[in-house]
PDB file of all heavy atoms in Angstrom:
ATOM      1  N   TYR A  27      16.391 134.273  18.104  1.00  0.00           N
ATOM      2  CA  TYR A  27      17.397 134.491  19.138  1.00  0.00           C
ATOM      3  C   TYR A  27      18.742 134.885  18.519  1.00  0.00           C
ATOM      4  O   TYR A  27      19.052 134.495  17.394  1.00  0.00           O
ATOM      5  CB  TYR A  27      17.617 133.202  19.946  1.00  0.00           C
ATOM      6  CG  TYR A  27      16.443 132.773  20.773  1.00  0.00           C
ATOM      7  CD1 TYR A  27      15.437 131.988  20.236  1.00  0.00           C
ATOM      8  CD2 TYR A  27      16.331 133.144  22.105  1.00  0.00           C
ATOM      9  CE1 TYR A  27      14.359 131.585  20.993  1.00  0.00           C
ATOM     10  CE2 TYR A  27      15.257 132.743  22.876  1.00  0.00           C
ATOM     11  CZ  TYR A  27      14.273 131.964  22.317  1.00  0.00           C
ATOM     12  OH  TYR A  27      13.202 131.570  23.074  1.00  0.00           O
ATOM     13  N   GLN A  28      19.540 135.605  19.316  1.00  0.00           N
ATOM     14  CA  GLN A  28      20.919 135.953  19.006  1.00  0.00           C
ATOM     15  C   GLN A  28      21.093 136.449  17.572  1.00  0.00           C
ATOM     16  O   GLN A  28      20.544 137.458  17.214  1.00  0.00           O
ATOM     17  CB  GLN A  28      21.848 134.778  19.318  1.00  0.00           C
ATOM     18  CG  GLN A  28      21.739 134.210  20.729  1.00  0.00           C
ATOM     19  CD  GLN A  28      22.069 135.178  21.843  1.00  0.00           C
ATOM     20  OE1 GLN A  28      21.247 136.014  22.171  1.00  0.00           O
ATOM     21  NE2 GLN A  28      23.243 135.059  22.457  1.00  0.00           N
ATOM     22  N   TYR A  29      21.916 135.757  16.763  1.00  0.00           N
ATOM     23  CA  TYR A  29      22.203 136.202  15.399  1.00  0.00           C
ATOM     24  C   TYR A  29      20.928 136.279  14.564  1.00  0.00           C
ATOM     25  O   TYR A  29      20.769 137.186  13.743  1.00  0.00           O
ATOM     26  CB  TYR A  29      23.215 135.275  14.715  1.00  0.00           C
ATOM     27  CG  TYR A  29      24.574 135.262  15.360  1.00  0.00           C
ATOM     28  CD1 TYR A  29      25.191 134.070  15.697  1.00  0.00           C
ATOM     29  CD2 TYR A  29      25.255 136.447  15.628  1.00  0.00           C
ATOM     30  CE1 TYR A  29      26.446 134.042  16.289  1.00  0.00           C
ATOM     31  CE2 TYR A  29      26.507 136.442  16.220  1.00  0.00           C
ATOM     32  CZ  TYR A  29      27.103 135.235  16.548  1.00  0.00           C
ATOM     33  OH  TYR A  29      28.341 135.229  17.134  1.00  0.00           O
ATOM     34  N   SER A  30      20.037 135.347  14.758  1.00  0.00           N
ATOM     35  CA  SER A  30      18.771 135.364  14.016  1.00  0.00           C
ATOM     36  C   SER A  30      17.967 136.618  14.342  1.00  0.00           C
ATOM     37  O   SER A  30      17.376 137.243  13.447  1.00  0.00           O
ATOM     38  CB  SER A  30      17.942 134.120  14.337  1.00  0.00           C
ATOM     39  OG  SER A  30      18.566 132.959  13.848  1.00  0.00           O
ATOM     40  N   ALA A  31      17.958 137.010  15.610  1.00  0.00           N
ATOM     41  CA  ALA A  31      17.251 138.228  16.014  1.00  0.00           C
ATOM     42  C   ALA A  31      17.884 139.443  15.340  1.00  0.00           C
ATOM     43  O   ALA A  31      17.187 140.328  14.831  1.00  0.00           O
ATOM     44  CB  ALA A  31      17.286 138.376  17.535  1.00  0.00           C
ATOM     45  N   PHE A  32      19.202 139.482  15.324  1.00  0.00           N
ATOM     46  CA  PHE A  32      19.929 140.584  14.680  1.00  0.00           C
ATOM     47  C   PHE A  32      19.589 140.654  13.189  1.00  0.00           C
ATOM     48  O   PHE A  32      19.267 141.720  12.659  1.00  0.00           O
ATOM     49  CB  PHE A  32      21.438 140.388  14.888  1.00  0.00           C
ATOM     50  CG  PHE A  32      22.293 141.360  14.132  1.00  0.00           C
ATOM     51  CD1 PHE A  32      22.323 142.703  14.478  1.00  0.00           C
ATOM     52  CD2 PHE A  32      23.079 140.930  13.078  1.00  0.00           C
ATOM     53  CE1 PHE A  32      23.123 143.597  13.777  1.00  0.00           C
ATOM     54  CE2 PHE A  32      23.885 141.806  12.377  1.00  0.00           C
ATOM     55  CZ  PHE A  32      23.902 143.156  12.724  1.00  0.00           C
ATOM     56  N   LEU A  33      19.632 139.527  12.518  1.00  0.00           N
ATOM     57  CA  LEU A  33      19.335 139.500  11.086  1.00  0.00           C
ATOM     58  C   LEU A  33      17.894 139.925  10.814  1.00  0.00           C
ATOM     59  O   LEU A  33      17.621 140.620   9.832  1.00  0.00           O
ATOM     60  CB  LEU A  33      19.600 138.106  10.512  1.00  0.00           C
ATOM     61  CG  LEU A  33      21.070 137.705  10.425  1.00  0.00           C
ATOM     62  CD1 LEU A  33      21.199 136.215  10.099  1.00  0.00           C
ATOM     63  CD2 LEU A  33      21.814 138.552   9.411  1.00  0.00           C
ATOM     64  N   LEU A  34      16.988 139.523  11.683  1.00  0.00           N
ATOM     65  CA  LEU A  34      15.588 139.903  11.536  1.00  0.00           C
ATOM     66  C   LEU A  34      15.436 141.419  11.629  1.00  0.00           C
ATOM     67  O   LEU A  34      14.767 142.041  10.799  1.00  0.00           O
ATOM     68  CB  LEU A  34      14.750 139.203  12.613  1.00  0.00           C
ATOM     69  CG  LEU A  34      13.247 139.350  12.538  1.00  0.00           C
ATOM     70  CD1 LEU A  34      12.686 138.729  11.270  1.00  0.00           C
ATOM     71  CD2 LEU A  34      12.606 138.702  13.753  1.00  0.00           C
ATOM     72  N   VAL A  35      16.076 142.023  12.614  1.00  0.00           N
ATOM     73  CA  VAL A  35      16.024 143.476  12.777  1.00  0.00           C
ATOM     74  C   VAL A  35      16.692 144.161  11.591  1.00  0.00           C
ATOM     75  O   VAL A  35      16.211 145.184  11.096  1.00  0.00           O
ATOM     76  CB  VAL A  35      16.673 143.892  14.118  1.00  0.00           C
ATOM     77  CG1 VAL A  35      16.857 145.392  14.209  1.00  0.00           C
ATOM     78  CG2 VAL A  35      15.828 143.386  15.289  1.00  0.00           C
ATOM     79  N   GLN A  36      17.800 143.593  11.107  1.00  0.00           N
ATOM     80  CA  GLN A  36      18.502 144.154   9.952  1.00  0.00           C
ATOM     81  C   GLN A  36      17.634 144.149   8.693  1.00  0.00           C
ATOM     82  O   GLN A  36      17.821 144.969   7.799  1.00  0.00           O
ATOM     83  CB  GLN A  36      19.798 143.384   9.672  1.00  0.00           C
ATOM     84  CG  GLN A  36      20.854 143.552  10.745  1.00  0.00           C
ATOM     85  CD  GLN A  36      21.310 145.003  10.853  1.00  0.00           C
ATOM     86  OE1 GLN A  36      21.776 145.582   9.902  1.00  0.00           O
ATOM     87  NE2 GLN A  36      21.146 145.582  12.029  1.00  0.00           N
ATOM     88  N   GLN A  37      16.679 143.243   8.621  1.00  0.00           N
ATOM     89  CA  GLN A  37      15.785 143.159   7.464  1.00  0.00           C
ATOM     90  C   GLN A  37      14.632 144.158   7.560  1.00  0.00           C
ATOM     91  O   GLN A  37      13.769 144.187   6.707  1.00  0.00           O
ATOM     92  CB  GLN A  37      15.235 141.731   7.315  1.00  0.00           C
ATOM     93  CG  GLN A  37      16.290 140.685   7.078  1.00  0.00           C
ATOM     94  CD  GLN A  37      17.263 141.077   5.976  1.00  0.00           C
ATOM     95  OE1 GLN A  37      16.854 141.363   4.865  1.00  0.00           O
ATOM     96  NE2 GLN A  37      18.537 141.096   6.289  1.00  0.00           N
ATOM     97  N   GLY A  38      14.635 144.935   8.611  1.00  0.00           N
ATOM     98  CA  GLY A  38      13.620 145.977   8.748  1.00  0.00           C
ATOM     99  C   GLY A  38      12.450 145.624   9.628  1.00  0.00           C
ATOM    100  O   GLY A  38      11.502 146.403   9.722  1.00  0.00           O
ATOM    101  N   ALA A  39      12.475 144.489  10.279  1.00  0.00           N
ATOM    102  CA  ALA A  39      11.386 144.129  11.193  1.00  0.00           C
ATOM    103  C   ALA A  39      11.361 145.136  12.345  1.00  0.00           C
ATOM    104  O   ALA A  39      12.373 145.377  12.984  1.00  0.00           O
ATOM    105  CB  ALA A  39      11.581 142.713  11.724  1.00  0.00           C
ATOM    106  N   GLN A  40      10.233 145.731  12.562  1.00  0.00           N
ATOM    107  CA  GLN A  40      10.094 146.780  13.570  1.00  0.00           C
ATOM    108  C   GLN A  40       9.643 146.220  14.923  1.00  0.00           C
ATOM    109  O   GLN A  40       8.662 146.681  15.490  1.00  0.00           O
ATOM    110  CB  GLN A  40       9.099 147.839  13.082  1.00  0.00           C
ATOM    111  CG  GLN A  40       9.502 148.516  11.802  1.00  0.00           C
ATOM    112  CD  GLN A  40      10.755 149.360  11.955  1.00  0.00           C
ATOM    113  OE1 GLN A  40      10.875 150.129  12.890  1.00  0.00           O
ATOM    114  NE2 GLN A  40      11.697 149.175  11.057  1.00  0.00           N
ATOM    115  N   TYR A  41      10.355 145.236  15.406  1.00  0.00           N
ATOM    116  CA  TYR A  41      10.013 144.633  16.686  1.00  0.00           C
ATOM    117  C   TYR A  41      11.147 144.877  17.670  1.00  0.00           C
ATOM    118  O   TYR A  41      12.314 144.937  17.289  1.00  0.00           O
ATOM    119  CB  TYR A  41       9.739 143.129  16.535  1.00  0.00           C
ATOM    120  CG  TYR A  41       8.588 142.860  15.604  1.00  0.00           C
ATOM    121  CD1 TYR A  41       8.795 142.388  14.319  1.00  0.00           C
ATOM    122  CD2 TYR A  41       7.283 143.113  16.015  1.00  0.00           C
ATOM    123  CE1 TYR A  41       7.730 142.170  13.457  1.00  0.00           C
ATOM    124  CE2 TYR A  41       6.214 142.903  15.156  1.00  0.00           C
ATOM    125  CZ  TYR A  41       6.449 142.432  13.893  1.00  0.00           C
ATOM    126  OH  TYR A  41       5.397 142.221  13.045  1.00  0.00           O
ATOM    127  N   LYS A  42      10.780 144.998  18.934  1.00  0.00           N
ATOM    128  CA  LYS A  42      11.744 145.308  19.981  1.00  0.00           C
ATOM    129  C   LYS A  42      12.586 144.076  20.318  1.00  0.00           C
ATOM    130  O   LYS A  42      12.062 142.986  20.539  1.00  0.00           O
ATOM    131  CB  LYS A  42      11.015 145.787  21.231  1.00  0.00           C
ATOM    132  CG  LYS A  42      11.936 146.194  22.338  1.00  0.00           C
ATOM    133  CD  LYS A  42      11.171 146.634  23.562  1.00  0.00           C
ATOM    134  CE  LYS A  42      12.137 146.929  24.677  1.00  0.00           C
ATOM    135  NZ  LYS A  42      11.479 146.970  25.970  1.00  0.00           N
ATOM    136  N   ALA A  43      13.889 144.278  20.376  1.00  0.00           N
ATOM    137  CA  ALA A  43      14.808 143.213  20.804  1.00  0.00           C
ATOM    138  C   ALA A  43      14.945 143.289  22.316  1.00  0.00           C
ATOM    139  O   ALA A  43      15.124 144.372  22.878  1.00  0.00           O
ATOM    140  CB  ALA A  43      16.157 143.387  20.128  1.00  0.00           C
ATOM    141  N   ASN A  44      14.835 142.142  22.975  1.00  0.00           N
ATOM    142  CA  ASN A  44      14.977 142.069  24.429  1.00  0.00           C
ATOM    143  C   ASN A  44      16.248 141.316  24.784  1.00  0.00           C
ATOM    144  O   ASN A  44      16.451 140.198  24.321  1.00  0.00           O
ATOM    145  CB  ASN A  44      13.768 141.355  25.051  1.00  0.00           C
ATOM    146  CG  ASN A  44      12.510 142.155  24.895  1.00  0.00           C
ATOM    147  OD1 ASN A  44      12.454 143.313  25.282  1.00  0.00           O
ATOM    148  ND2 ASN A  44      11.496 141.571  24.300  1.00  0.00           N
ATOM    149  N   ARG A  45      17.062 141.927  25.597  1.00  0.00           N
ATOM    150  CA  ARG A  45      18.313 141.310  26.065  1.00  0.00           C
ATOM    151  C   ARG A  45      18.160 141.056  27.558  1.00  0.00           C
ATOM    152  O   ARG A  45      17.840 141.960  28.321  1.00  0.00           O
ATOM    153  CB  ARG A  45      19.471 142.270  25.806  1.00  0.00           C
ATOM    154  CG  ARG A  45      20.797 141.769  26.265  1.00  0.00           C
ATOM    155  CD  ARG A  45      21.864 142.802  25.908  1.00  0.00           C
ATOM    156  NE  ARG A  45      23.058 142.608  26.686  1.00  0.00           N
ATOM    157  CZ  ARG A  45      24.006 143.512  26.825  1.00  0.00           C
ATOM    158  NH1 ARG A  45      23.888 144.685  26.227  1.00  0.00           N
ATOM    159  NH2 ARG A  45      25.059 143.255  27.542  1.00  0.00           N
ATOM    160  N   ARG A  46      18.377 139.803  27.949  1.00  0.00           N
ATOM    161  CA  ARG A  46      18.195 139.453  29.366  1.00  0.00           C
ATOM    162  C   ARG A  46      19.172 138.358  29.769  1.00  0.00           C
ATOM    163  O   ARG A  46      19.578 137.541  28.943  1.00  0.00           O
ATOM    164  CB  ARG A  46      16.761 139.000  29.619  1.00  0.00           C
ATOM    165  CG  ARG A  46      16.383 137.776  28.838  1.00  0.00           C
ATOM    166  CD  ARG A  46      14.924 137.394  29.021  1.00  0.00           C
ATOM    167  NE  ARG A  46      14.544 136.350  28.112  1.00  0.00           N
ATOM    168  CZ  ARG A  46      14.889 135.070  28.218  1.00  0.00           C
ATOM    169  NH1 ARG A  46      15.624 134.663  29.216  1.00  0.00           N
ATOM    170  NH2 ARG A  46      14.499 134.177  27.332  1.00  0.00           N
ATOM    171  N   PRO A  47      19.534 138.349  31.035  1.00  0.00           N
ATOM    172  CA  PRO A  47      20.412 137.266  31.509  1.00  0.00           C
ATOM    173  C   PRO A  47      19.619 135.966  31.669  1.00  0.00           C
ATOM    174  O   PRO A  47      18.466 135.987  32.081  1.00  0.00           O
ATOM    175  CB  PRO A  47      20.901 137.778  32.872  1.00  0.00           C
ATOM    176  CG  PRO A  47      19.951 138.850  33.274  1.00  0.00           C
ATOM    177  CD  PRO A  47      19.250 139.344  32.053  1.00  0.00           C
ATOM    178  N   VAL A  48      20.248 134.860  31.303  1.00  0.00           N
ATOM    179  CA  VAL A  48      19.637 133.538  31.478  1.00  0.00           C
ATOM    180  C   VAL A  48      20.579 132.741  32.381  1.00  0.00           C
ATOM    181  O   VAL A  48      21.684 132.377  31.973  1.00  0.00           O
ATOM    182  CB  VAL A  48      19.413 132.835  30.123  1.00  0.00           C
ATOM    183  CG1 VAL A  48      18.837 131.439  30.332  1.00  0.00           C
ATOM    184  CG2 VAL A  48      18.492 133.661  29.237  1.00  0.00           C
ATOM    185  N   LYS A  49      20.134 132.482  33.595  1.00  0.00           N
ATOM    186  CA  LYS A  49      20.985 131.812  34.581  1.00  0.00           C
ATOM    187  C   LYS A  49      21.402 130.412  34.158  1.00  0.00           C
ATOM    188  O   LYS A  49      22.531 130.006  34.368  1.00  0.00           O
ATOM    189  CB  LYS A  49      20.275 131.736  35.937  1.00  0.00           C
ATOM    190  CG  LYS A  49      20.194 133.050  36.650  1.00  0.00           C
ATOM    191  CD  LYS A  49      19.529 132.880  37.994  1.00  0.00           C
ATOM    192  CE  LYS A  49      19.384 134.209  38.697  1.00  0.00           C
ATOM    193  NZ  LYS A  49      18.770 134.074  40.014  1.00  0.00           N
ATOM    194  N   SER A  50      20.488 129.683  33.547  1.00  0.00           N
ATOM    195  CA  SER A  50      20.767 128.278  33.228  1.00  0.00           C
ATOM    196  C   SER A  50      21.932 128.117  32.251  1.00  0.00           C
ATOM    197  O   SER A  50      22.593 127.083  32.249  1.00  0.00           O
ATOM    198  CB  SER A  50      19.522 127.594  32.671  1.00  0.00           C
ATOM    199  OG  SER A  50      19.125 128.203  31.457  1.00  0.00           O
ATOM    200  N   ILE A  51      22.180 129.106  31.416  1.00  0.00           N
ATOM    201  CA  ILE A  51      23.299 129.008  30.464  1.00  0.00           C
ATOM    202  C   ILE A  51      24.388 130.041  30.766  1.00  0.00           C
ATOM    203  O   ILE A  51      25.360 130.142  30.023  1.00  0.00           O
ATOM    204  CB  ILE A  51      22.818 129.133  28.993  1.00  0.00           C
ATOM    205  CG1 ILE A  51      22.064 130.430  28.763  1.00  0.00           C
ATOM    206  CG2 ILE A  51      21.992 127.940  28.606  1.00  0.00           C
ATOM    207  CD1 ILE A  51      21.654 130.650  27.320  1.00  0.00           C
ATOM    208  N   ARG A  52      24.179 130.795  31.840  1.00  0.00           N
ATOM    209  CA  ARG A  52      25.171 131.765  32.319  1.00  0.00           C
ATOM    210  C   ARG A  52      25.618 132.759  31.246  1.00  0.00           C
ATOM    211  O   ARG A  52      26.803 133.007  31.065  1.00  0.00           O
ATOM    212  CB  ARG A  52      26.386 131.046  32.898  1.00  0.00           C
ATOM    213  CG  ARG A  52      26.081 130.245  34.128  1.00  0.00           C
ATOM    214  CD  ARG A  52      27.348 129.686  34.739  1.00  0.00           C
ATOM    215  NE  ARG A  52      27.029 128.917  35.902  1.00  0.00           N
ATOM    216  CZ  ARG A  52      27.107 127.608  35.963  1.00  0.00           C
ATOM    217  NH1 ARG A  52      27.497 126.918  34.919  1.00  0.00           N
ATOM    218  NH2 ARG A  52      26.802 126.977  37.066  1.00  0.00           N
ATOM    219  N   GLN A  53      24.653 133.297  30.530  1.00  0.00           N
ATOM    220  CA  GLN A  53      24.967 134.330  29.563  1.00  0.00           C
ATOM    221  C   GLN A  53      23.719 135.148  29.262  1.00  0.00           C
ATOM    222  O   GLN A  53      22.612 134.765  29.616  1.00  0.00           O
ATOM    223  CB  GLN A  53      25.551 133.751  28.278  1.00  0.00           C
ATOM    224  CG  GLN A  53      24.559 133.110  27.332  1.00  0.00           C
ATOM    225  CD  GLN A  53      25.225 132.558  26.089  1.00  0.00           C
ATOM    226  OE1 GLN A  53      25.946 131.572  26.186  1.00  0.00           O
ATOM    227  NE2 GLN A  53      24.981 133.162  24.950  1.00  0.00           N
ATOM    228  N   GLU A  54      23.933 136.278  28.617  1.00  0.00           N
ATOM    229  CA  GLU A  54      22.814 137.113  28.213  1.00  0.00           C
ATOM    230  C   GLU A  54      22.323 136.663  26.849  1.00  0.00           C
ATOM    231  O   GLU A  54      23.120 136.271  25.992  1.00  0.00           O
ATOM    232  CB  GLU A  54      23.236 138.574  28.175  1.00  0.00           C
ATOM    233  CG  GLU A  54      23.498 139.120  29.557  1.00  0.00           C
ATOM    234  CD  GLU A  54      24.031 140.536  29.550  1.00  0.00           C
ATOM    235  OE1 GLU A  54      24.382 141.057  28.465  1.00  0.00           O
ATOM    236  OE2 GLU A  54      24.098 141.125  30.641  1.00  0.00           O
ATOM    237  N   VAL A  55      21.022 136.718  26.681  1.00  0.00           N
ATOM    238  CA  VAL A  55      20.389 136.268  25.449  1.00  0.00           C
ATOM    239  C   VAL A  55      19.544 137.415  24.909  1.00  0.00           C
ATOM    240  O   VAL A  55      18.874 138.114  25.661  1.00  0.00           O
ATOM    241  CB  VAL A  55      19.498 135.035  25.725  1.00  0.00           C
ATOM    242  CG1 VAL A  55      18.661 134.674  24.526  1.00  0.00           C
ATOM    243  CG2 VAL A  55      20.344 133.862  26.170  1.00  0.00           C
ATOM    244  N   VAL A  56      19.590 137.588  23.598  1.00  0.00           N
ATOM    245  CA  VAL A  56      18.734 138.582  22.959  1.00  0.00           C
ATOM    246  C   VAL A  56      17.723 137.841  22.087  1.00  0.00           C
ATOM    247  O   VAL A  56      18.048 136.818  21.476  1.00  0.00           O
ATOM    248  CB  VAL A  56      19.549 139.608  22.136  1.00  0.00           C
ATOM    249  CG1 VAL A  56      20.251 138.962  20.977  1.00  0.00           C
ATOM    250  CG2 VAL A  56      18.671 140.734  21.644  1.00  0.00           C
ATOM    251  N   SER A  57      16.499 138.344  22.085  1.00  0.00           N
ATOM    252  CA  SER A  57      15.459 137.714  21.272  1.00  0.00           C
ATOM    253  C   SER A  57      14.520 138.780  20.722  1.00  0.00           C
ATOM    254  O   SER A  57      14.411 139.876  21.277  1.00  0.00           O
ATOM    255  CB  SER A  57      14.681 136.683  22.085  1.00  0.00           C
ATOM    256  OG  SER A  57      14.028 137.304  23.170  1.00  0.00           O
ATOM    257  N   VAL A  58      13.880 138.423  19.623  1.00  0.00           N
ATOM    258  CA  VAL A  58      12.850 139.254  19.013  1.00  0.00           C
ATOM    259  C   VAL A  58      11.646 138.351  18.796  1.00  0.00           C
ATOM    260  O   VAL A  58      11.783 137.235  18.299  1.00  0.00           O
ATOM    261  CB  VAL A  58      13.324 139.857  17.668  1.00  0.00           C
ATOM    262  CG1 VAL A  58      12.194 140.588  16.973  1.00  0.00           C
ATOM    263  CG2 VAL A  58      14.510 140.779  17.874  1.00  0.00           C
ATOM    264  N   CYS A  59      10.489 138.844  19.164  1.00  0.00           N
ATOM    265  CA  CYS A  59       9.273 138.049  19.113  1.00  0.00           C
ATOM    266  C   CYS A  59       8.219 138.818  18.321  1.00  0.00           C
ATOM    267  O   CYS A  59       8.122 140.030  18.446  1.00  0.00           O
ATOM    268  CB  CYS A  59       8.835 137.839  20.555  1.00  0.00           C
ATOM    269  SG  CYS A  59       7.458 136.768  20.790  1.00  0.00           S
ATOM    270  N   PHE A  60       7.458 138.101  17.501  1.00  0.00           N
ATOM    271  CA  PHE A  60       6.391 138.755  16.746  1.00  0.00           C
ATOM    272  C   PHE A  60       5.249 137.768  16.517  1.00  0.00           C
ATOM    273  O   PHE A  60       5.461 136.561  16.488  1.00  0.00           O
ATOM    274  CB  PHE A  60       6.909 139.333  15.419  1.00  0.00           C
ATOM    275  CG  PHE A  60       7.480 138.322  14.477  1.00  0.00           C
ATOM    276  CD1 PHE A  60       6.677 137.722  13.509  1.00  0.00           C
ATOM    277  CD2 PHE A  60       8.819 137.969  14.545  1.00  0.00           C
ATOM    278  CE1 PHE A  60       7.213 136.785  12.631  1.00  0.00           C
ATOM    279  CE2 PHE A  60       9.356 137.039  13.674  1.00  0.00           C
ATOM    280  CZ  PHE A  60       8.552 136.446  12.713  1.00  0.00           C
ATOM    281  N   PRO A  61       4.020 138.287  16.345  1.00  0.00           N
ATOM    282  CA  PRO A  61       2.858 137.407  16.140  1.00  0.00           C
ATOM    283  C   PRO A  61       3.028 136.542  14.904  1.00  0.00           C
ATOM    284  O   PRO A  61       3.499 137.004  13.866  1.00  0.00           O
ATOM    285  CB  PRO A  61       1.695 138.393  15.962  1.00  0.00           C
ATOM    286  CG  PRO A  61       2.161 139.667  16.563  1.00  0.00           C
ATOM    287  CD  PRO A  61       3.645 139.698  16.380  1.00  0.00           C
ATOM    288  N   LYS A  62       2.616 135.286  15.017  1.00  0.00           N
ATOM    289  CA  LYS A  62       2.854 134.336  13.926  1.00  0.00           C
ATOM    290  C   LYS A  62       2.134 134.708  12.639  1.00  0.00           C
ATOM    291  O   LYS A  62       2.623 134.434  11.559  1.00  0.00           O
ATOM    292  CB  LYS A  62       2.536 132.906  14.355  1.00  0.00           C
ATOM    293  CG  LYS A  62       1.078 132.573  14.514  1.00  0.00           C
ATOM    294  CD  LYS A  62       0.907 131.111  14.881  1.00  0.00           C
ATOM    295  CE  LYS A  62      -0.547 130.717  14.946  1.00  0.00           C
ATOM    296  NZ  LYS A  62      -0.711 129.320  15.261  1.00  0.00           N
ATOM    297  N   ASP A  63       0.995 135.371  12.751  1.00  0.00           N
ATOM    298  CA  ASP A  63       0.269 135.704  11.530  1.00  0.00           C
ATOM    299  C   ASP A  63       0.852 136.904  10.782  1.00  0.00           C
ATOM    300  O   ASP A  63       0.381 137.249   9.700  1.00  0.00           O
ATOM    301  CB  ASP A  63      -1.224 135.886  11.795  1.00  0.00           C
ATOM    302  CG  ASP A  63      -1.548 136.747  12.990  1.00  0.00           C
ATOM    303  OD1 ASP A  63      -0.689 136.887  13.861  1.00  0.00           O
ATOM    304  OD2 ASP A  63      -2.673 137.270  13.063  1.00  0.00           O
TER     305      ASP A  63
END
């Protein structure tokens, strides 16, 4: 999430970053997800 997602992408990970609003914390959140293996 957030800075960690940015750093992951900066390291060359070719995964799509998703930015979405999260009502419970009243802010937009960015995340990158990839298979654990």
Side-chain angles (χ1 to χ4, degrees):
Y27 293 86
Q28 307 299 78
Y29 296 129
S30 293
F32 173 69
L33 290 169
L34 186 63
V35 170
Q36 292 297 302
Q37 298 311 304
Q40 300 294 313
Y41 299 105
K42 183 181 176 197
N44 293 306
R45 179 178 161 197
R46 61 184 171 74
V48 177
K49 287 182 183 181
S50 63
I51 57 176
R52 295 186 181 108
Q53 77 180 70
E54 291 175 350
V55 171
V56 65
S57 62
V58 174
C59 186
F60 61 92
K62 72 177 184 179
D63 47 338

